[in-house]
Amino acid sequence: MPFRNGIFLAAAAGIALSLGSEAVIYGAHADDAAGAAYPDCSPAFFDAMKTAVYEGTGGGITLEAPFIHMNKADI
């Protein structure tokens, strides 16, 4: 499904905020975005979504992607 990670992350942010959490951890990694296979796994998408989540939750939720610049072998 196109933009599936955007949909999932938006829902996760809403749920996290309602549960009193501070962050949503996103498991995207460099192999997912290689060759634009999954554009919703790219660093550019993550940066935009990170801003959207933070702004959309009034600064209540941060989006983190600890593996975004790592490939599967590095992880």
PDB file of all heavy atoms in Angstrom, residues 2-3 9-10 15 19 24 32 37-38 40-41 43-45 48 50 52 61-64 68-69 72-73:
ATOM      1  N   PRO A   2       0.700   2.155  -0.914  1.00  0.00           N
ATOM      2  CA  PRO A   2       1.490   3.384  -0.923  1.00  0.00           C
ATOM      3  C   PRO A   2       1.288   4.193   0.360  1.00  0.00           C
ATOM      4  O   PRO A   2       0.188   4.234   0.912  1.00  0.00           O
ATOM      5  CB  PRO A   2       0.936   4.148  -2.125  1.00  0.00           C
ATOM      6  CG  PRO A   2       0.288   3.126  -2.979  1.00  0.00           C
ATOM      7  CD  PRO A   2      -0.221   2.072  -2.035  1.00  0.00           C
ATOM      8  N   PHE A   3       2.370   4.790   0.837  1.00  0.00           N
ATOM      9  CA  PHE A   3       2.362   5.659   2.021  1.00  0.00           C
ATOM     10  C   PHE A   3       1.956   4.932   3.301  1.00  0.00           C
ATOM     11  O   PHE A   3       1.577   5.529   4.288  1.00  0.00           O
ATOM     12  CB  PHE A   3       1.451   6.879   1.788  1.00  0.00           C
ATOM     13  CG  PHE A   3       1.679   7.988   2.774  1.00  0.00           C
ATOM     14  CD1 PHE A   3       2.848   8.711   2.793  1.00  0.00           C
ATOM     15  CD2 PHE A   3       0.707   8.295   3.713  1.00  0.00           C
ATOM     16  CE1 PHE A   3       3.060   9.730   3.721  1.00  0.00           C
ATOM     17  CE2 PHE A   3       0.902   9.312   4.644  1.00  0.00           C
ATOM     18  CZ  PHE A   3       2.083  10.026   4.633  1.00  0.00           C
ATOM     19  N   LEU A   9       2.559   5.539  11.095  1.00  0.00           N
ATOM     20  CA  LEU A   9       3.225   6.459  12.023  1.00  0.00           C
ATOM     21  C   LEU A   9       2.260   7.500  12.574  1.00  0.00           C
ATOM     22  O   LEU A   9       2.343   7.858  13.753  1.00  0.00           O
ATOM     23  CB  LEU A   9       4.419   7.123  11.353  1.00  0.00           C
ATOM     24  CG  LEU A   9       5.598   6.187  11.072  1.00  0.00           C
ATOM     25  CD1 LEU A   9       6.627   6.877  10.186  1.00  0.00           C
ATOM     26  CD2 LEU A   9       6.234   5.695  12.367  1.00  0.00           C
ATOM     27  N   ALA A  10       1.351   7.974  11.746  1.00  0.00           N
ATOM     28  CA  ALA A  10       0.354   8.929  12.226  1.00  0.00           C
ATOM     29  C   ALA A  10      -0.529   8.280  13.294  1.00  0.00           C
ATOM     30  O   ALA A  10      -0.802   8.875  14.341  1.00  0.00           O
ATOM     31  CB  ALA A  10      -0.484   9.450  11.064  1.00  0.00           C
ATOM     32  N   ILE A  15      -1.879   7.253  19.164  1.00  0.00           N
ATOM     33  CA  ILE A  15      -1.989   6.277  20.253  1.00  0.00           C
ATOM     34  C   ILE A  15      -0.962   6.578  21.339  1.00  0.00           C
ATOM     35  O   ILE A  15      -1.278   6.569  22.532  1.00  0.00           O
ATOM     36  CB  ILE A  15      -1.826   4.844  19.712  1.00  0.00           C
ATOM     37  CG1 ILE A  15      -3.020   4.493  18.820  1.00  0.00           C
ATOM     38  CG2 ILE A  15      -1.675   3.842  20.848  1.00  0.00           C
ATOM     39  CD1 ILE A  15      -2.826   3.229  17.990  1.00  0.00           C
ATOM     40  N   LEU A  19      -1.576   7.554  25.317  1.00  0.00           N
ATOM     41  CA  LEU A  19      -1.046   6.695  26.391  1.00  0.00           C
ATOM     42  C   LEU A  19      -0.028   7.404  27.277  1.00  0.00           C
ATOM     43  O   LEU A  19       0.486   6.816  28.226  1.00  0.00           O
ATOM     44  CB  LEU A  19      -0.395   5.448  25.775  1.00  0.00           C
ATOM     45  CG  LEU A  19      -1.326   4.480  25.061  1.00  0.00           C
ATOM     46  CD1 LEU A  19      -0.529   3.363  24.392  1.00  0.00           C
ATOM     47  CD2 LEU A  19      -2.350   3.900  26.039  1.00  0.00           C
ATOM     48  N   VAL A  24       7.764   7.695  19.444  1.00  0.00           N
ATOM     49  CA  VAL A  24       7.456   6.544  18.605  1.00  0.00           C
ATOM     50  C   VAL A  24       8.773   6.160  17.942  1.00  0.00           C
ATOM     51  O   VAL A  24       9.474   7.014  17.401  1.00  0.00           O
ATOM     52  CB  VAL A  24       6.392   6.888  17.531  1.00  0.00           C
ATOM     53  CG1 VAL A  24       6.267   5.769  16.514  1.00  0.00           C
ATOM     54  CG2 VAL A  24       5.052   7.174  18.191  1.00  0.00           C
ATOM     55  N   ASP A  32      15.867  -0.478   3.157  1.00  0.00           N
ATOM     56  CA  ASP A  32      14.472  -0.258   2.760  1.00  0.00           C
ATOM     57  C   ASP A  32      14.352   0.863   1.728  1.00  0.00           C
ATOM     58  O   ASP A  32      13.507   0.810   0.844  1.00  0.00           O
ATOM     59  CB  ASP A  32      13.608   0.116   3.962  1.00  0.00           C
ATOM     60  CG  ASP A  32      13.298  -1.061   4.874  1.00  0.00           C
ATOM     61  OD1 ASP A  32      13.407  -2.216   4.412  1.00  0.00           O
ATOM     62  OD2 ASP A  32      12.960  -0.820   6.034  1.00  0.00           O
ATOM     63  N   ALA A  37      13.045   2.005  -3.417  1.00  0.00           N
ATOM     64  CA  ALA A  37      12.089   0.895  -3.349  1.00  0.00           C
ATOM     65  C   ALA A  37      10.895   1.260  -2.465  1.00  0.00           C
ATOM     66  O   ALA A  37       9.753   0.980  -2.813  1.00  0.00           O
ATOM     67  CB  ALA A  37      12.776  -0.349  -2.807  1.00  0.00           C
ATOM     68  N   TYR A  38      11.181   1.861  -1.345  1.00  0.00           N
ATOM     69  CA  TYR A  38      10.142   2.287  -0.413  1.00  0.00           C
ATOM     70  C   TYR A  38      10.420   3.745  -0.041  1.00  0.00           C
ATOM     71  O   TYR A  38      11.141   4.014   0.915  1.00  0.00           O
ATOM     72  CB  TYR A  38      10.136   1.418   0.848  1.00  0.00           C
ATOM     73  CG  TYR A  38       9.909  -0.039   0.568  1.00  0.00           C
ATOM     74  CD1 TYR A  38      10.967  -0.948   0.626  1.00  0.00           C
ATOM     75  CD2 TYR A  38       8.643  -0.504   0.240  1.00  0.00           C
ATOM     76  CE1 TYR A  38      10.760  -2.291   0.365  1.00  0.00           C
ATOM     77  CE2 TYR A  38       8.426  -1.855  -0.019  1.00  0.00           C
ATOM     78  CZ  TYR A  38       9.491  -2.732   0.053  1.00  0.00           C
ATOM     79  OH  TYR A  38       9.289  -4.059  -0.201  1.00  0.00           O
ATOM     80  N   ASP A  40       8.770   5.788   1.520  1.00  0.00           N
ATOM     81  CA  ASP A  40       8.362   6.134   2.880  1.00  0.00           C
ATOM     82  C   ASP A  40       9.267   5.504   3.937  1.00  0.00           C
ATOM     83  O   ASP A  40       8.922   5.423   5.110  1.00  0.00           O
ATOM     84  CB  ASP A  40       6.887   5.788   3.121  1.00  0.00           C
ATOM     85  CG  ASP A  40       6.551   4.326   2.906  1.00  0.00           C
ATOM     86  OD1 ASP A  40       7.407   3.562   2.431  1.00  0.00           O
ATOM     87  OD2 ASP A  40       5.406   3.946   3.214  1.00  0.00           O
ATOM     88  N   CYS A  41      10.477   5.105   3.504  1.00  0.00           N
ATOM     89  CA  CYS A  41      11.532   4.646   4.417  1.00  0.00           C
ATOM     90  C   CYS A  41      12.790   5.503   4.262  1.00  0.00           C
ATOM     91  O   CYS A  41      13.802   5.210   4.882  1.00  0.00           O
ATOM     92  CB  CYS A  41      11.891   3.183   4.154  1.00  0.00           C
ATOM     93  SG  CYS A  41      10.571   2.027   4.552  1.00  0.00           S
ATOM     94  N   PRO A  43      15.432   8.790   4.392  1.00  0.00           N
ATOM     95  CA  PRO A  43      15.739   9.834   5.374  1.00  0.00           C
ATOM     96  C   PRO A  43      14.905  11.100   5.164  1.00  0.00           C
ATOM     97  O   PRO A  43      14.484  11.735   6.137  1.00  0.00           O
ATOM     98  CB  PRO A  43      17.229  10.095   5.167  1.00  0.00           C
ATOM     99  CG  PRO A  43      17.761   8.788   4.667  1.00  0.00           C
ATOM    100  CD  PRO A  43      16.661   8.268   3.768  1.00  0.00           C
ATOM    101  N   ALA A  44      14.643  11.471   3.915  1.00  0.00           N
ATOM    102  CA  ALA A  44      13.840  12.670   3.650  1.00  0.00           C
ATOM    103  C   ALA A  44      12.411  12.496   4.191  1.00  0.00           C
ATOM    104  O   ALA A  44      11.845  13.413   4.792  1.00  0.00           O
ATOM    105  CB  ALA A  44      13.808  12.974   2.155  1.00  0.00           C
ATOM    106  N   PHE A  45      11.838  11.315   3.972  1.00  0.00           N
ATOM    107  CA  PHE A  45      10.499  11.040   4.500  1.00  0.00           C
ATOM    108  C   PHE A  45      10.520  11.089   6.021  1.00  0.00           C
ATOM    109  O   PHE A  45       9.645  11.692   6.652  1.00  0.00           O
ATOM    110  CB  PHE A  45       9.995   9.672   4.035  1.00  0.00           C
ATOM    111  CG  PHE A  45       8.724   9.255   4.714  1.00  0.00           C
ATOM    112  CD1 PHE A  45       7.505   9.714   4.260  1.00  0.00           C
ATOM    113  CD2 PHE A  45       8.758   8.419   5.818  1.00  0.00           C
ATOM    114  CE1 PHE A  45       6.324   9.339   4.913  1.00  0.00           C
ATOM    115  CE2 PHE A  45       7.591   8.044   6.467  1.00  0.00           C
ATOM    116  CZ  PHE A  45       6.370   8.507   6.012  1.00  0.00           C
ATOM    117  N   ALA A  48      10.653  14.658   7.339  1.00  0.00           N
ATOM    118  CA  ALA A  48       9.362  15.333   7.185  1.00  0.00           C
ATOM    119  C   ALA A  48       8.334  14.790   8.183  1.00  0.00           C
ATOM    120  O   ALA A  48       7.580  15.556   8.801  1.00  0.00           O
ATOM    121  CB  ALA A  48       8.858  15.167   5.752  1.00  0.00           C
ATOM    122  N   LYS A  50       8.946  13.286  11.014  1.00  0.00           N
ATOM    123  CA  LYS A  50       9.369  13.657  12.369  1.00  0.00           C
ATOM    124  C   LYS A  50       8.822  15.040  12.719  1.00  0.00           C
ATOM    125  O   LYS A  50       8.292  15.245  13.813  1.00  0.00           O
ATOM    126  CB  LYS A  50      10.893  13.639  12.458  1.00  0.00           C
ATOM    127  CG  LYS A  50      11.440  13.991  13.819  1.00  0.00           C
ATOM    128  CD  LYS A  50      12.954  13.877  13.826  1.00  0.00           C
ATOM    129  CE  LYS A  50      13.498  14.186  15.206  1.00  0.00           C
ATOM    130  NZ  LYS A  50      14.948  13.953  15.287  1.00  0.00           N
ATOM    131  N   ALA A  52       6.228  16.537  11.230  1.00  0.00           N
ATOM    132  CA  ALA A  52       4.767  16.460  11.259  1.00  0.00           C
ATOM    133  C   ALA A  52       4.254  15.868  12.568  1.00  0.00           C
ATOM    134  O   ALA A  52       3.291  16.377  13.146  1.00  0.00           O
ATOM    135  CB  ALA A  52       4.263  15.649  10.070  1.00  0.00           C
ATOM    136  N   ILE A  61       5.072  14.296  21.140  1.00  0.00           N
ATOM    137  CA  ILE A  61       5.664  13.035  20.667  1.00  0.00           C
ATOM    138  C   ILE A  61       6.810  13.339  19.714  1.00  0.00           C
ATOM    139  O   ILE A  61       6.674  14.156  18.802  1.00  0.00           O
ATOM    140  CB  ILE A  61       4.618  12.157  19.925  1.00  0.00           C
ATOM    141  CG1 ILE A  61       3.445  11.792  20.834  1.00  0.00           C
ATOM    142  CG2 ILE A  61       5.266  10.896  19.342  1.00  0.00           C
ATOM    143  CD1 ILE A  61       3.800  10.880  21.993  1.00  0.00           C
ATOM    144  N   THR A  62       7.914  12.659  19.923  1.00  0.00           N
ATOM    145  CA  THR A  62       9.010  12.711  18.968  1.00  0.00           C
ATOM    146  C   THR A  62       9.050  11.388  18.213  1.00  0.00           C
ATOM    147  O   THR A  62       8.670  10.345  18.741  1.00  0.00           O
ATOM    148  CB  THR A  62      10.375  12.962  19.644  1.00  0.00           C
ATOM    149  OG1 THR A  62      10.638  11.908  20.578  1.00  0.00           O
ATOM    150  CG2 THR A  62      10.394  14.293  20.359  1.00  0.00           C
ATOM    151  N   LEU A  63       9.491  11.468  16.985  1.00  0.00           N
ATOM    152  CA  LEU A  63       9.658  10.278  16.156  1.00  0.00           C
ATOM    153  C   LEU A  63      11.142   9.997  16.053  1.00  0.00           C
ATOM    154  O   LEU A  63      11.925  10.891  15.719  1.00  0.00           O
ATOM    155  CB  LEU A  63       9.053  10.531  14.772  1.00  0.00           C
ATOM    156  CG  LEU A  63       9.122   9.386  13.765  1.00  0.00           C
ATOM    157  CD1 LEU A  63       8.385   8.156  14.288  1.00  0.00           C
ATOM    158  CD2 LEU A  63       8.532   9.827  12.437  1.00  0.00           C
ATOM    159  N   GLU A  64      11.538   8.772  16.373  1.00  0.00           N
ATOM    160  CA  GLU A  64      12.939   8.380  16.333  1.00  0.00           C
ATOM    161  C   GLU A  64      13.111   7.215  15.362  1.00  0.00           C
ATOM    162  O   GLU A  64      12.251   6.348  15.273  1.00  0.00           O
ATOM    163  CB  GLU A  64      13.420   7.989  17.731  1.00  0.00           C
ATOM    164  CG  GLU A  64      13.275   9.119  18.734  1.00  0.00           C
ATOM    165  CD  GLU A  64      13.627   8.707  20.148  1.00  0.00           C
ATOM    166  OE1 GLU A  64      14.293   7.664  20.336  1.00  0.00           O
ATOM    167  OE2 GLU A  64      13.211   9.418  21.077  1.00  0.00           O
ATOM    168  N   ILE A  68      17.984   4.391  10.605  1.00  0.00           N
ATOM    169  CA  ILE A  68      17.711   5.001   9.312  1.00  0.00           C
ATOM    170  C   ILE A  68      18.939   5.072   8.397  1.00  0.00           C
ATOM    171  O   ILE A  68      18.811   4.987   7.188  1.00  0.00           O
ATOM    172  CB  ILE A  68      17.060   6.399   9.478  1.00  0.00           C
ATOM    173  CG1 ILE A  68      16.403   6.865   8.190  1.00  0.00           C
ATOM    174  CG2 ILE A  68      18.050   7.431   9.967  1.00  0.00           C
ATOM    175  CD1 ILE A  68      15.069   6.292   7.914  1.00  0.00           C
ATOM    176  N   HIS A  69      20.139   5.179   8.958  1.00  0.00           N
ATOM    177  CA  HIS A  69      21.351   5.253   8.149  1.00  0.00           C
ATOM    178  C   HIS A  69      22.157   3.960   8.181  1.00  0.00           C
ATOM    179  O   HIS A  69      23.293   3.927   7.708  1.00  0.00           O
ATOM    180  CB  HIS A  69      22.220   6.428   8.589  1.00  0.00           C
ATOM    181  CG  HIS A  69      21.543   7.758   8.390  1.00  0.00           C
ATOM    182  ND1 HIS A  69      21.285   8.275   7.141  1.00  0.00           N
ATOM    183  CD2 HIS A  69      21.026   8.634   9.266  1.00  0.00           C
ATOM    184  CE1 HIS A  69      20.672   9.427   7.266  1.00  0.00           C
ATOM    185  NE2 HIS A  69      20.491   9.676   8.556  1.00  0.00           N
ATOM    186  N   LYS A  72      21.073  -3.652   6.881  1.00  0.00           N
ATOM    187  CA  LYS A  72      20.744  -4.826   7.687  1.00  0.00           C
ATOM    188  C   LYS A  72      21.975  -5.450   8.327  1.00  0.00           C
ATOM    189  O   LYS A  72      21.923  -5.900   9.466  1.00  0.00           O
ATOM    190  CB  LYS A  72      20.010  -5.864   6.835  1.00  0.00           C
ATOM    191  CG  LYS A  72      18.609  -5.456   6.478  1.00  0.00           C
ATOM    192  CD  LYS A  72      17.935  -6.531   5.651  1.00  0.00           C
ATOM    193  CE  LYS A  72      16.550  -6.092   5.231  1.00  0.00           C
ATOM    194  NZ  LYS A  72      15.860  -7.108   4.450  1.00  0.00           N
ATOM    195  N   ALA A  73      23.073  -5.476   7.591  1.00  0.00           N
ATOM    196  CA  ALA A  73      24.301  -6.062   8.141  1.00  0.00           C
ATOM    197  C   ALA A  73      24.804  -5.270   9.340  1.00  0.00           C
ATOM    198  O   ALA A  73      25.278  -5.844  10.316  1.00  0.00           O
ATOM    199  CB  ALA A  73      25.386  -6.128   7.059  1.00  0.00           C
TER     200      ALA A  73
END
